[in-house]
Amino acid sequence: MNRRRLLLAMGGDGTFQGLANAAFGSDILLGILPAGGGNDFAVALGLPKNPVAAAEAVLRSQPRWVDLVRVRTADGRERLYAGGGGVGLDAEAAGYASGAYRRLPGRQRYIAAALRALRGFAPLQVRAEFPESELPPIESKVLLAGVLNTPTYGAGLRLAPEAQINDSWIDAVFLDDLSFWGVLQLLPRLVRSGDLRTPQVKRVRAKRVKLTTNRPCMFHGDGEIIGPAPVEIEVVPHAVQLLAPVAG
């Protein structure tokens, strides 16, 4: 391997997001040692959850190109994120996950935060458009509208099981208005396989997505609040290069 600058960080998806934004457009080689609450991007890379084992895997790895996702918010902000983002219930849950429930481990933190946010949450009317595509717009009353680069977010919830981090596509997911008990019934399948054969879950693969909402709300990426809707989201193919196991 040629001599190159390596930027290595220990943390979760939010940490890697900061790393990727700093390195984007440069020839810096990145590496991540999973030590956060979610670690969904590290899992998609094939890295072990244990930071020491992950460090050993990184040292044995070769450089890999991966996609990122660019979001532009209504206030003019532009930022890259690595794994999953969206509006609705998950954006509200992000506040609880980093606040009241931050001491809970991994997936428990995100599930507890989502269930807490669900109490009193009013469904969001969302219009999704897919520019430069023949896909028709989607209008729906949803609990969340997510745009993912990874199969999972929220520490392993498989919202987009077909998503890949190097295929130059993003996966939009729309979870229609469900009762508290309806959400509880979906959770086991989200954890196990993501196989949700129900009309209340819609999935669309696209290059670009525009989300417009019927009331003010914030968009999050990797659990970090980025800015207000409406938002435009697009895949950035081969955005950064990092050390990770070769995809099987």
Side-chain angles (χ1 to χ4, degrees):
M1 184 171 64
N2 296 332
R3 294 176 63 86
R4 295 176 59 183
R5 289 180 296 169
L6 173 64
L7 189 56
L8 190 67
M10 177 179 286
D13 296 332
T15 299
F16 183 76
Q17 181 189 121
L19 198 68
N21 277 272
F24 180 68
S26 74
D27 64 350
I28 295 175
L29 189 61
L30 303 181
I32 183 71
L33 305 181
N39 303 318
D40 292 285
F41 191 74
V43 170
L45 287 171
L47 290 171
K49 294 183 180 180
N50 180 281
V52 174
E56 294 174 348
V58 166
L59 291 174
R60 295 192 303 267
S61 298
Q62 296 296 316
R64 261 179 80 185
W65 287 102
V66 296
D67 306 335
L68 294 175
V69 186
R70 178 186 288 120
V71 58
R72 298 181 185 89
T73 55
D75 58 1
R77 189 178 188 196
E78 183 175 298
R79 189 160 177 85
L80 299 166
Y81 67 91
V87 294
L89 181 67
D90 56 338
E92 295 201 13
Y96 291 109
S98 61
Y101 299 108
R102 66 185 182 279
R103 298 187 183 279
L104 291 177
R107 188 181 298 156
Q108 292 180 33
R109 177 193 310 177
Y110 293 96
I111 290 177
L115 293 177
R116 172 62 183 83
L118 185 57
R119 292 170 53 190
F121 179 80
L124 194 64
Q125 188 72 32
V126 170
R127 177 180 172 85
E129 299 170 80
F130 307 96
E132 301 172 14
S133 166
E134 295 181 358
L135 294 168
I138 291 176
E139 291 197 43
S140 187
K141 185 178 289 187
V142 302
L143 290 180
L144 65 86
V147 182
L148 286 83
N149 186 38
T150 52
T152 68
Y153 74 175
L157 298 178
R158 303 186 68 80
L159 273 184
E162 301 300 319
Q164 299 180 45
I165 57 175
N166 60 353
D167 64 354
S168 302
W169 294 89
I170 46 180
D171 287 50
V173 183
F174 307 91
L175 178 60
D176 287 352
D177 183 19
L178 291 170
S179 68
F180 182 88
W181 297 110
V183 172
L184 285 182
Q185 289 176 338
L186 283 184
L187 280 174
R189 282 182 284 164
L190 280 172
V191 170
R192 289 195 301 267
S193 67
D195 184 10
L196 306 176
R197 296 180 183 179
T198 168
Q200 291 172 306
V201 178
K202 303 178 185 69
R203 290 171 171 145
V204 178
R205 181 157 288 189
K207 301 285 188 180
R208 296 178 59 200
V209 183
K210 180 179 180 180
L211 298 177
T212 306
T213 60
N214 68 329
R215 67 171 187 266
C217 65
M218 303 298 284
F219 183 95
H220 85 93
D222 302 323
E224 307 289 330
I225 298 300
I226 295 177
V231 294
E232 295 183 5
I233 310 116
E234 64 180 343
V235 65
V236 183
H238 292 179
V240 290
Q241 200 172 21
L242 46 76
L243 286 175
V246 176

